[in-house]
Amino acid sequence: RLPLGSEQDESGSVRESAPANGPTVELEFHQIDVRYERLRVRQPARERRLLASLAEAGQQIPIVVVATGAAYVVVDGHKRVRCLQRLQRDTVAAVIWEMPEPEALIFRQLLHTDPTTSALEHGWLLRTLHEDHGLALDALARRFDRSVSWVSRRLSLVRTLPDPIQQHVHAGQLVAHAAMKYFVPLARANAADCVRLVEAIAPHRLTTRQIGRLYEAYVAGATATRELVLTDPLLVLRVA
């Protein structure tokens, strides 16, 4: 097993992790609540690597949970949970953080300084802490050592972008940077057109550059061009 304070990440390598502050237990899957997996973007390639690592070496470090009555709420390790379920394991090892849910969510975020975390993911966490757990904006700013403006901008981001588009981002079908750069402005101008455009291009898992080209073609184009973007976006990319 790995030494205390290290963790097997998605690629199977070892990185620093949160220290355990409570007991480690074996939980059956029906005992855990994964409500907070919606706060992180899924990354299919990293998840496939983690699946292969778990299949070969087994679970090397517990997930992190907090106890809430009859269930254990996962605050870290959602990819491991999904992979272990795919491998048809019976249980998952978990360490219990003995603190309230909002404190655990904040602690987890402060410990995991992942440079790939998007402003949308920050917004999802802040909205959960503000709307579900009642933390004021100035309190959130203090806890994350940020300005109230920083908190407000990220909350505005998730409140502006239509939910169907955010679901595509969460599923890993739409690059978060592209959603923020191109679809937030379009959503402010015309939310219905924004959703139609995203529904047309999300299944193709395009790059930010490709999405930018389609966005420009749609915004600047005549009615016929817009319909072509919606019905055959790959053709537009070939001829643009």
Side-chain angles (χ1 to χ4, degrees), residues 36-54:
Y36 294 124
E37 69 175 347
R38 59 186 166 83
L39 303 182
R40 298 290 294 175
V41 171
R42 292 196 179 192
Q43 298 172 305
R46 294 177 68 179
E47 201 154 318
R48 286 193 295 270
R49 291 195 295 270
L50 177 59
L51 181 68
S53 175
L54 288 169

Side-chain angles (χ1 to χ4, degrees), residues 63-239:
I63 64 171
V64 177
V65 300
V66 293
T68 58
Y72 293 90
V73 178
V74 179
V75 296
D76 186 61
H78 292 96
K79 283 191 290 293
R80 274 167 282 169
V81 170
R82 291 193 295 269
C83 289
L84 289 168
Q85 287 178 312
R86 289 181 62 186
L87 293 169
Q88 299 183 324
R89 300 293 194 265
D90 295 323
T91 61
V92 55
V95 61
I96 302 173
W97 278 1
E98 297 175 345
M99 62 183 75
E101 281 181 59
E103 292 298 318
L105 290 171
I106 293 170
F107 189 42
R108 188 265 174 206
Q109 183 65 30
L110 293 175
L111 286 171
H112 290 257
T113 54
D114 186 347
T116 66
T117 301
S118 68
L120 263 178
E121 289 171 298
H122 287 146
W124 293 337
L125 174 60
L126 292 166
R127 181 173 60 182
T128 295
L129 293 169
H130 178 56
E131 297 180 359
D132 297 351
H133 295 291
L135 276 70
L137 301 193
D138 58 343
L140 289 170
R142 288 194 302 271
R143 296 302 301 273
F144 290 107
D145 195 24
R146 300 284 188 169
S147 66
V148 174
S149 174
W150 182 89
V151 174
S152 297
R153 288 196 304 272
R154 278 149 183 78
L155 285 175
S156 176
L157 185 65
V158 299
R159 289 168 177 166
T160 299
L161 200 62
D163 284 341
I165 299 176
Q166 295 189 48
Q167 291 168 13
H168 283 300
V169 175
H170 174 261
Q173 298 171 330
L174 182 65
V175 180
H177 177 70
M180 293 181 289
K181 183 175 182 179
Y182 299 114
F183 299 124
V184 169
L186 182 57
R188 291 192 176 111
N190 189 322
D193 274 7
C194 185
V195 172
R196 287 186 67 208
L197 180 56
V198 170
E199 294 293 347
I201 67 177
H204 301 290
R205 297 181 182 271
L206 304 177
T207 66
T208 299
R209 183 184 296 274
Q210 290 172 318
I211 291 171
R213 289 167 57 194
L214 290 173
Y215 170 83
E216 294 296 339
Y218 184 85
V219 171
T223 300
T225 301
R226 292 187 173 191
E227 285 302 315
L228 186 60
V229 171
L230 294 174
T231 56
D232 198 345
L234 298 185
L235 174 61
V236 175
L237 288 174
R238 288 196 296 270
V239 301

